[in-house]
């Protein structure tokens, strides 16, 4: 198939709105440029594809892509990044208990990345091209989580596992020295459908501790050890859709002032919004909201990434629409970057409009050229997509400015 190359500055309606512009103003032309490539179009065209992780599975210096289906009989795959645009699909394991989420980290200290899902972890076999990962249950009652994160909540330098779901709530696990044994579990608070992915952990209270943001509530790590949590229900975001409240969130310093902001996107709802919440006093007691520019009615934005996509030194915001949950009459899910122009200004840039939806995208430099690329797949497909309803795993290769280049 011929790759789709999108020069964002030339794409129709790619930059029709800019937060912070005077009425009638327009943003500058974009330097962003991406090429769409298919990684795979042969997976079964059924739903429930989640578990998006970018990690170097085979330790060859190139990040690989993990995805898979949840539930009994569901298969997890990893795509070997062979370089030069070539990818090879391998089976990682089976029967994940997660709804959507997964995270990779070395649990057993052998130097190889393992995979953690909801109540289950998969041990790396050290020969991943030849052998599947070994499945271990760490919490028999821990299934069904929508989101899974790894973060150091107690300050000991070792990440813990955080899971989140409407049924089981917000839970924290500390893996024992032998991770094949049951893991101690702490329930921090109740849950909604989803909220803590991809990166909703950071210092909100301004005391150096790792707090957790969960939709309209943030949980203060009061003692810095993860033993005492105080809920603050004061974030004005999160609307109930068909599956309840669901958002994506990243805690990040988006404006470079040294203070963490919240970047949040609606998902599982038509009319999704993306907004930045500034921590007004640096203690999380009040928030000022800035909605990002949107020139059309968006569908479900079940993806979020924050990275510098044009190497200008400023963090941009990325999402894509699902094939499901689009506004009535639309069959063109779009991939969008809100380019950070500085001084609180953002420009909406459509980087792909090709009848290909996405879900839980990930961003990273997959080819080692210093530019941030994008990988995604749908949760499920619809018959009108660009492949006639086939499943697709997608790469948007970044052809924009190289590192250290500063275009005026």
């Amino acid at each position: 198939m011929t790759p789709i190359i999108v020069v964002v500055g030339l794409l129709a309606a790619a930059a029709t709105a800019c937060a912070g512009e005077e009425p009638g103003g327009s943003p500058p032309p974009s330097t962003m440029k991406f090429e769409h490539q298919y990684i795979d179009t042969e997976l079964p065209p059924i739903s429930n594809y989640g578990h998006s992780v970018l990690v170097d599975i085979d330790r060859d210096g190139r990040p690989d892509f993990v995805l898979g289906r949840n539930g009994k009989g569901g298969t997890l795959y990893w795509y070997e990044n062979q370089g030069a645009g070539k990818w090879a699909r391998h089976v990682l394991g089976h029967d994940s208990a997660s709804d959507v989420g997964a995270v990779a980290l070395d649990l057993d200290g052998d130097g190889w990345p393992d995979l953690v899902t909801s109540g289950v972890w998969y041990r790396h076999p050290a020969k991943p091209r030849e052998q599947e990962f070994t499945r271990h249950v760490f919490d028999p009652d821990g299934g069904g989580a929508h989101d899974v994160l790894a973060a150091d909540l107690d300050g000991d330098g070792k990440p813990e596992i955080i899971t989140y779901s409407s049924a089981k709530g917000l839970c924290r696990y500390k893996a024992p020295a032998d991770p094949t044994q049951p893991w101690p579990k702490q329930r921090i608070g109740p849950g909604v459908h989803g909220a803590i992915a991809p990166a909703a952990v950071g210092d909100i209270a301004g005391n150096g501790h790792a707090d957790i943001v969960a939709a309209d509530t943030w949980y203060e790590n009061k003692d810095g050890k993860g033993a005492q949590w105080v809920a603050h229900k004061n974030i004005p975001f999160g609307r109930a859709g068909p599956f309840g409240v669901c958002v994506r969130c990243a805690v990040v310093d988006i404006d470079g002032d040294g203070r963490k902001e919240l970047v949040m996107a609606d998902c599982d709802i038509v009319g999704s919004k993306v907004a930045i919440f500034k921590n007004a006093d640096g203690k999380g007691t009040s928030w000022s909201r800035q909605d990002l520019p949107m020139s059309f009615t968006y569908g479900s934005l079940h993806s979020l990434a924050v990275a510098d996509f044009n190497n200008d030194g400023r963090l941009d915001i990325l999402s894509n629409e699902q094939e499901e949950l689009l506004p009535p009459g639309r069959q063109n899910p779009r991939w969008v970057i809100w380019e950070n122009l500085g001084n609180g200004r953002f420009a909406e840039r459509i980087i792909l409009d090709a009848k290909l939806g996405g879900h839980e995208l990930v961003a990273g430099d997959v080819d080692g050229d210093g530019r941030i690329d994008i990988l995604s797949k749908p949760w499920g497909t619809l018959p009108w997509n660009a492949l006639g309803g086939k499943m697709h795993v997608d790469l948007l290769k970044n052809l924009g400015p190289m590192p250290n280049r500063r275009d005026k």
Side-chain angles (χ1 to χ4, degrees), residues 2-187:
T2 303
I4 302 168
I5 299 179
V6 179
V7 181
V8 178
L10 301 179
L11 187 63
T16 57
C18 182
E21 290 284 352
E22 294 298 323
S26 60
S30 176
T31 58
M32 295 183 187
K33 182 179 180 182
F34 292 87
E35 177 186 274
H36 173 266
Q37 300 174 3
Y38 289 111
I39 293 176
D40 193 359
T41 60
E42 301 302 324
L43 289 174
I46 46 184
S47 65
N48 293 37
Y49 283 100
H51 302 76
S52 300
V53 179
L54 191 64
V55 58
D56 186 0
I57 292 285
D58 53 4
R59 298 195 314 195
D60 66 353
R62 293 185 292 263
D64 308 299
F65 186 38
V66 176
L67 62 83
R69 297 189 65 244
N70 65 16
K72 188 70 173 176
T75 301
L76 300 174
Y77 303 97
W78 72 279
Y79 287 87
E80 179 189 353
N81 180 358
Q82 298 178 327
K86 297 180 180 179
W87 299 80
R89 186 177 75 205
H90 306 278
V91 174
L92 185 148
H94 303 272
D95 303 335
S96 169
S98 277
D99 183 5
V100 172
V103 66
L105 71 164
D106 181 7
L107 279 174
D108 53 9
D110 64 357
W112 293 95
D114 309 300
L115 188 75
V116 182
T117 66
S118 180
V120 176
W121 72 280
Y122 297 81
R123 172 175 266 163
H124 198 293
K127 296 181 179 180
R129 299 184 191 91
E130 304 167 20
Q131 300 173 356
E132 295 182 16
F133 287 43
T134 304
R135 184 179 187 271
H136 298 276
V137 176
F138 65 82
D139 180 3
D141 190 44
H146 188 277
D147 300 340
V148 181
L149 289 185
D152 180 10
L153 299 177
D154 59 9
D156 69 352
K158 299 177 182 178
E160 296 123 84
I161 297 298
I162 312 164
T163 64
Y164 194 66
S165 71
S166 56
K168 306 293 174 61
L170 180 63
C171 298
R172 169 198 178 209
Y173 295 89
K174 186 82 172 176
D178 179 0
T180 64
Q181 298 301 307
W183 296 10
K185 175 181 176 180
Q186 175 192 24
R187 190 175 188 271

Side-chain angles (χ1 to χ4, degrees), residues 107-380:
L107 279 174
D108 53 9
D110 64 357
W112 293 95
D114 309 300
L115 188 75
V116 182
T117 66
S118 180
V120 176
W121 72 280
Y122 297 81
R123 172 175 266 163
H124 198 293
K127 296 181 179 180
R129 299 184 191 91
E130 304 167 20
Q131 300 173 356
E132 295 182 16
F133 287 43
T134 304
R135 184 179 187 271
H136 298 276
V137 176
F138 65 82
D139 180 3
D141 190 44
H146 188 277
D147 300 340
V148 181
L149 289 185
D152 180 10
L153 299 177
D154 59 9
D156 69 352
K158 299 177 182 178
E160 296 123 84
I161 297 298
I162 312 164
T163 64
Y164 194 66
S165 71
S166 56
K168 306 293 174 61
L170 180 63
C171 298
R172 169 198 178 209
Y173 295 89
K174 186 82 172 176
D178 179 0
T180 64
Q181 298 301 307
W183 296 10
K185 175 181 176 180
Q186 175 192 24
R187 190 175 188 271
I188 296 172
V192 295
H193 184 57
I196 64 172
V201 175
D203 181 11
I204 305 299
N207 56 13
H209 302 160
D211 307 306
I212 303 173
V213 179
D216 62 356
T217 303
W218 68 276
Y219 291 86
E220 182 181 356
N221 188 352
K222 195 69 176 177
D223 63 351
K225 302 296 182 182
Q228 301 176 27
W229 297 90
V230 178
H232 302 273
K233 192 179 177 69
N234 64 358
I235 303 171
F237 201 74
R239 296 173 294 146
F243 308 102
V245 174
C246 194
V247 304
R248 307 287 80 189
C249 178
V251 179
V252 63
D253 181 6
I254 195 72
D255 56 9
D257 66 353
R259 181 180 294 176
K260 301 288 188 182
E261 286 80 42
L262 313 181
V263 179
M264 303 183 81
D266 287 313
C267 53
D268 286 333
I269 191 169
V270 173
S272 288
K273 302 292 184 182
V274 181
I276 297 169
F277 293 87
K278 290 203 170 188
N279 192 345
D281 64 356
K283 297 180 180 179
T285 63
S286 63
W287 302 90
S288 62
R289 173 172 173 164
Q290 176 186 353
D291 284 276
L292 296 189
M294 292 183 161
S295 60
F296 57 93
T297 301
Y298 279 65
S300 170
L301 294 175
H302 210 301
S303 291
L304 181 68
V306 179
D308 183 0
F309 289 99
N310 56 355
N311 282 307
D312 66 354
R314 294 185 290 264
L315 293 174
D316 311 299
I317 299 168
L318 163 70
S319 189
N320 58 8
E321 296 178 290
Q322 293 182 242
E323 290 182 25
E324 315 96 328
L325 289 172
L326 284 173
R330 278 192 53 205
Q331 296 182 350
N332 62 330
R334 292 162 171 164
W335 302 37
V336 180
I337 289 176
W338 286 270
E339 181 182 355
N340 186 345
L341 304 177
N343 298 316
R345 299 163 58 243
F346 289 83
E348 175 194 42
R349 312 290 196 185
I350 299 171
I351 61 170
L352 186 69
D353 191 348
K355 304 191 83 170
L356 298 169
H359 175 270
E360 294 295 284
L361 59 75
V362 292
D365 181 5
V366 302
D367 52 11
D369 67 358
R371 295 175 287 195
I372 302 297
D373 310 296
I374 305 162
L375 298 98
S376 188
K377 84 289 170 299
W379 169 256

